[in-house]
Amino acid sequence: MRISRYHRTERIEAAISAVEAGMSFDIILMDMQMPVMDGYTATRKLRECGYAGPIIALTAHAMTSDRNKCFSAGCNEYLSKPIDRSKFFRTILQFVGPKQETVSAGG
């Protein structure tokens, strides 16, 4: 099934509404070249409404300036297409992987 550009925009708006309502997400994978509302705008809107969780940019643009643009918009990490599956999963695990408990020397 093909997702139309309107459905993608509605999903971004639904995510923004969910964040504004206090819901959280473990991670957001953001397509930076979406039509209608691009990923840069969507990321800025999510940050403006208080989403502090990780956003990973997914883009076909692989120049250093494109990477910087993603970070400037509020993304925590950047992956260029074609996506390397191993790097993709390692990146996600950096943000949502199992947390190791730390034990202090005193106890």
Side-chain angles (χ1 to χ4, degrees):
M1 176 171 79
R2 187 169 187 267
I3 299 172
S4 78
R5 64 183 178 195
Y6 301 106
H7 291 131
R8 287 181 182 173
T9 303
E10 289 169 5
R11 289 179 180 171
I12 294 297
E13 293 297 336
I16 291 167
S17 294
V19 169
E20 290 174 335
M23 297 176 70
S24 66
F25 300 93
D26 292 330
I27 195 165
I28 293 176
L29 304 175
M30 184 66 71
D31 180 356
M32 303 311 282
Q33 277 76 47
M34 295 182 295
V36 182
M37 181 190 306
D38 64 33
Y40 306 100
T41 302
T43 298
R44 280 190 212 82
K45 285 186 171 199
L46 284 164
R47 295 301 188 202
E48 287 169 4
C49 72
Y51 179 72
I55 299 176
I56 299 176
L58 304 176
T59 180
H61 298 198
M63 304 286 287
T64 301
S65 60
D66 298 312
R67 180 182 174 93
N68 293 339
K69 186 176 176 183
C70 292
F71 289 130
S72 293
C75 294
N76 299 87
E77 192 52 80
Y78 160 95
L79 294 171
S80 63
K81 299 174 186 176
I83 301 295
D84 174 302
R85 293 177 95 184
S86 178
K87 185 175 182 181
F88 176 74
F89 289 113
R90 279 194 316 270
T91 301
I92 291 172
L93 287 173
Q94 288 175 6
F95 295 101
V96 297
K99 306 293 183 220
Q100 294 182 353
E101 289 187 35
T102 56
V103 179
S104 67

